[in-house]
Amino acid sequence: MPPISVLTQSRVAERGKILKKLLVYLSDYKKETVLAPLFKMLEASFELLIPLVVQQIVDVGIAGGDRGYVIRMCLVMVALGIIGLVCAITAQYFSAKAAVGFAAGLRHSLFAHMQFLSYSQVDRIGTSTMVTRMTSDINQLQNGVNLVLRLFLRSPFIVLGAMIMAFTVDVKAALIFVLVIPLLSVVVFGVMLITIPLYKKVQSGLDRVLGITRGNLTGVRVIRAFRKEEEEIQQFEEENEKLTHMQMFVGKISAVMNPFTYVIVNGGLVALLWVGALRVEGNLLTQGAVMALVNYMSQILVELIKLANLIITVNKAVACGNRVEAILEMEPENQTVGQIGATQPADGAYAVEFDHISLMYPGAGDESLSDIDLRVKKGETVGIIGGTGSGKSSLVNLIPRFYEVTKGTVRVNGIPVENYDQQKLRGLIGVVPQKAVLFQGTIRDNLRMGKEDASEEELKRALEISQAAEFVFSRPEGLDGMVSQGGKNLSGGQRQRLTIARALVREPEILILDDSASALDYATDAALRRAIKNMKNIPTVFIVSQRTSSLMHADKILVLEDGEAVGLGTHEELLVDCSVYQEIYYSQYPDKRSRQEVQA
């Protein structure tokens, strides 16, 4: 095991690298990062002069009975205070501007980076963790930068400056400073070293609480439907109580610092007054000089406590920087930039090919898809059906490369998907996910997420095909009607139709409907399928559904069970050859089974 000094050096070096990477976001605020500490140093310089002014007031003005001199020196002290205040406010302005700008730049960069992470990476990190990184962790970094710019130079400058100034007043009395400062440093930095690892645990506990909170907010309707409010409240309270206890434990340790430091400093003050009294009695020191020494001791106490809090904040910021940097250093798994511009699709190539593909999710014990072999021609409609957890959504998610195949190859227009630039590939595909997600804004804004420059005619055509035109244009606002966050002010069927319209606006070559018509009635579902078939440029359509009525008119239907293909053919063929399909179909149409049994 390496010695502690080596481990400490390696940790310091590692933290330095992390800070160096993140402090790139301060590059646009070079002026502010110089001016903020500079003005703080000016404020500190004026602060160090105050005890000397007090000394002169006592030794010259009061001792000599010169009231005019006392008033003049008091005015000098007020002037020094005003100048120091102006310097402090100016420093605060520049440090706040730099810190907020740093946090904004980092937050934008982190958000942009997250947009390119693959589904599997998002699954591994966790949504609540990423939200914590974007909010709490970056806020801690912002506070760290702000305090460093204001106090990192000022506090050591005051401590060293006060000790030097004390030696200029009286060398023997100032030796007390040489004893007090190391004792204070031991207490301050000892508490700091104990609390730093605990603060990291606090941040992890915050992740868990945030995860529970997010789950409750997103699933509030389900929780109420199953009357699970009490259980969820209890679970939240348990995690929140753990976090509270952890924070209180760290807080208690941190609180030890104040009484210890005050005991040491007050002991130093007693010793200073005792030595000062003896030296004043021997005419070796003036009363004003003793007051100046006491003031310098008080300044040292205040600045050491500030420095301790600064170091704790900086270490918390470094811990948070570690967490943010871990996300930024995560390379997107599916960002291969292919040669699609130089490689043209071959004539007669299949629109989509699954060439003996398999898929295993990270950390899963078994494959979610096994040896799927399927070829789909341009303009064909393919239905995918199977029980819950059979791998239907997993299969269609491989086409836009949301997940990477474990084995085999997925091709679009005859070209492996990994050879495509991600933007090019997903520009060919319109995806309507299982969960209908809409964003706060107008209907027009939501539809134009599919195509930013879509014309009014294109928006109306997409709404007509998706069977959403009726309810959109029946409102006075039309396309300018407001959608609340998540589309909560719309019914399930309306949300699904708008998400389908959003995918259709771009007129994709491949349209994936991942159980996106589950909330539509049979008539609307049938009208939607007819409208898609009558489009000018008929897309290749993948329909994932549990309803056989949505698939029975497809050109071919793939039946999945436990990640394996157990049937492929038309509706009529599968009713004859595939027992799994028969079971699903007759469970939905029991009268057809009875009729078949009678005929048999």
Side-chain angles (χ1 to χ4, degrees):
M1 182 176 176
I4 295 174
S5 59
V6 174
L7 290 174
T8 305
Q9 288 172 4
S10 64
R11 286 172 189 159
V12 170
E14 183 184 352
R15 289 173 186 171
K17 289 178 183 176
I18 293 164
L19 287 175
K20 191 174 180 181
K21 290 178 183 177
L22 294 181
L23 292 180
V24 170
Y25 297 97
L26 272 175
S27 57
D28 292 335
Y29 300 92
K30 292 176 181 176
K31 180 181 71 175
E32 286 80 3
T33 55
V34 172
L35 291 175
L38 177 62
F39 276 98
K40 269 295 177 182
M41 296 282 279
L42 285 173
E43 180 207 358
S45 300
F46 293 122
E47 191 171 327
L48 288 172
L49 294 175
I50 297 290
L52 297 180
V53 176
V54 173
Q55 180 184 355
Q56 293 300 313
I57 291 173
V58 174
D59 290 343
V60 178
I62 296 175
D66 189 346
R67 184 175 294 179
Y69 183 82
V70 171
I71 293 172
R72 288 196 300 274
M73 294 308 289
C74 285
L75 291 174
V76 170
M77 192 160 54
V78 170
L80 289 173
I82 292 172
I83 295 169
L85 177 64
V86 171
C87 290
I89 292 172
T90 307
Q92 177 62 59
Y93 168 76
F94 286 124
S95 62
K97 184 177 179 181
V100 171
F102 161 81
L106 180 56
R107 193 174 280 115
H108 285 148
S109 180
L110 183 61
F111 183 80
H113 183 74
M114 285 177 176
Q115 300 304 307
F116 291 98
L117 296 177
S118 67
Y119 276 26
S120 58
Q121 288 175 306
V122 173
D123 294 340
R124 283 199 301 271
I125 300 167
T127 307
S128 60
T129 301
M130 291 198 290
V131 171
T132 307
R133 301 289 192 276
M134 285 284 298
T135 53
S136 176
D137 287 347
I138 291 183
N139 285 340
Q140 287 285 359
L141 279 166
Q142 178 180 321
N143 291 336
V145 170
N146 193 350
L147 285 176
V148 165
L149 291 177
R150 289 193 293 118
L151 299 177
F152 188 68
L153 292 178
R154 182 189 187 280
S155 291
F157 180 79
I158 288 279
V159 172
L160 293 175
M163 189 166 66
I164 292 168
M165 296 298 285
F167 273 96
T168 64
V169 174
D170 186 70
V171 174
K172 287 189 177 180
L175 291 175
I176 296 171
F177 287 75
V178 179
L179 178 63
V180 169
I181 289 175
L183 287 175
L184 283 172
S185 300
V186 168
V187 172
V188 167
F189 293 106
V191 171
M192 180 198 75
L193 290 173
I194 294 171
T195 54
I196 286 168
L198 295 175
Y199 279 120
K200 293 180 182 178
K201 291 184 180 179
V202 168
Q203 287 299 115
S204 300
L206 184 62
D207 274 353
R208 291 192 295 272
V209 170
L210 185 61
I212 293 171
T213 306
R214 182 183 177 278
N216 274 272
L217 290 174
T218 54
V220 62
R221 296 186 180 187
V222 177
I223 291 168
R224 289 178 179 175
F226 288 92
R227 300 181 65 187
K228 295 290 183 180
E229 294 94 338
E230 293 298 326
E231 293 179 21
E232 293 298 328
I233 290 170
Q234 184 179 355
Q235 184 186 5
F236 175 82
E237 286 179 347
E238 287 175 1
E239 287 297 331
N240 193 47
E241 192 173 349
K242 288 179 185 177
L243 177 61
T244 303
H245 286 167
M246 200 179 302
Q247 287 178 320
M248 287 176 67
F249 180 65
V250 180
K252 286 175 182 177
I253 295 174
S254 299
V256 170
M257 185 169 59
N258 278 347
F260 273 97
T261 50
Y262 278 109
V263 167
I264 293 170
V265 169
N266 283 309
L269 285 173
V270 170
L272 189 61
L273 290 171
W274 180 57
V275 171
L278 292 176
R279 293 182 67 76
V280 169
E281 189 177 1
N283 292 322
L284 299 173
L285 197 64
T286 64
Q287 293 174 341
V290 174
M291 291 187 68
L293 290 170
V294 170
N295 279 332
Y296 283 129
M297 183 68 79
S298 300
Q299 286 182 354
I300 288 172
L301 168 64
V302 172
E303 293 306 323
L304 275 177
I305 292 173
K306 283 183 182 177
L307 187 60
N309 290 328
L310 168 65
I311 293 171
I312 289 172
T313 302
V314 168
N315 277 280
K316 287 170 68 177
V318 170
C320 294
N322 269 314
R323 292 150 58 89
V324 172
E325 185 62 27
I327 305 292
L328 290 173
E329 287 187 338
M330 187 176 286
E331 289 293 331
E333 292 176 347
N334 52 7
Q335 288 300 300
T336 308
V337 179
Q339 303 297 323
I340 190 63
T343 307
Q344 295 299 325
D347 292 335
Y350 288 102
V352 177
E353 294 178 71
F354 296 101
D355 188 359
H356 297 282
I357 63 95
S358 297
L359 171 67
M360 180 184 289
Y361 288 109
D366 199 4
E367 290 182 334
S368 299
L369 294 170
S370 301
D371 195 32
I372 305 295
D373 193 58
L374 176 66
R375 286 160 181 80
V376 182
K377 296 178 182 177
K378 295 181 186 297
E380 278 190 329
T381 298
V382 179
I384 302 174
I385 197 169
T388 302
S390 59
K392 305 183 296 297
S393 296
S394 299
L395 183 65
V396 293
N397 280 333
L398 297 175
I399 302 172
R401 208 180 168 202
F402 291 150
Y403 291 98
E404 298 286 344
V405 293
T406 310
K407 299 176 186 174
T409 306
V410 180
R411 297 185 182 88
V412 172
N413 293 330
I415 301 170
V417 291
E418 58 267 21
N419 290 351
Y420 278 91
D421 174 77
Q422 187 188 81
Q423 191 172 359
K424 293 273 188 182
L425 173 65
R426 294 180 184 173
L428 303 173
I429 303 168
V431 181
V432 186
Q434 277 181 303
K435 185 179 179 181
V437 177
L438 295 171
F439 298 90
Q440 187 173 6
T442 64
I443 294 174
R444 187 193 312 277
D445 293 336
N446 274 275
L447 295 182
R448 280 186 171 160
M449 289 189 72
K451 185 180 179 182
E452 291 183 6
D453 58 348
S455 65
E456 293 289 310
E457 188 60 36
E458 287 174 320
L459 297 178
K460 289 179 182 177
R461 186 163 60 249
L463 288 169
E464 288 169 359
I465 296 171
S466 67
Q467 310 304 303
E470 181 181 353
F471 83 83
V472 171
F473 293 112
S474 64
R475 301 179 175 192
E477 305 91 349
L479 286 168
D480 294 316
M482 292 302 298
V483 177
S484 65
Q485 187 175 13
K488 293 293 191 291
N489 61 334
L490 300 172
S491 69
Q494 290 172 336
R495 287 199 297 270
Q496 285 190 340
R497 281 178 280 174
L498 283 180
T499 54
I500 293 169
R502 181 174 60 199
L504 290 170
V505 165
R506 63 169 62 185
E507 298 183 353
E509 292 184 19
I510 300 168
L511 178 63
I512 298 172
L513 303 175
D514 187 1
D515 204 15
S516 55
S518 57
L520 304 184
D521 58 74
Y522 289 103
T524 305
D525 187 13
L528 169 65
R529 285 184 275 107
R530 283 196 303 271
I532 291 173
K533 276 292 185 184
N534 292 328
M535 288 175 64
K536 184 178 179 182
N537 297 314
I538 301 174
T540 304
V541 183
F542 288 83
I543 302 175
V544 175
S545 181
Q546 297 278 13
R547 297 194 320 201
T548 53
S549 61
S550 299
L551 307 175
M552 62 175 61
H553 301 292
D555 297 304
K556 62 179 72 169
I557 301 170
L558 176 67
V559 185
L560 296 176
E561 185 177 34
D562 295 329
E564 296 181 355
V566 294
L568 178 64
T570 62
H571 169 70
E572 291 77 14
E573 292 170 347
L574 292 172
L575 277 180
V576 175
D577 300 333
C578 183
S579 60
V580 175
Y581 187 78
Q582 291 169 5
E583 184 179 348
I584 296 171
Y585 178 73
Y586 289 127
S587 67
Q588 296 173 10
Y589 297 95
D591 57 320
K592 297 288 180 75
R593 181 190 290 273
S594 304
R595 205 174 302 163
Q596 186 186 42
E597 289 173 352
V598 169
Q599 291 174 355

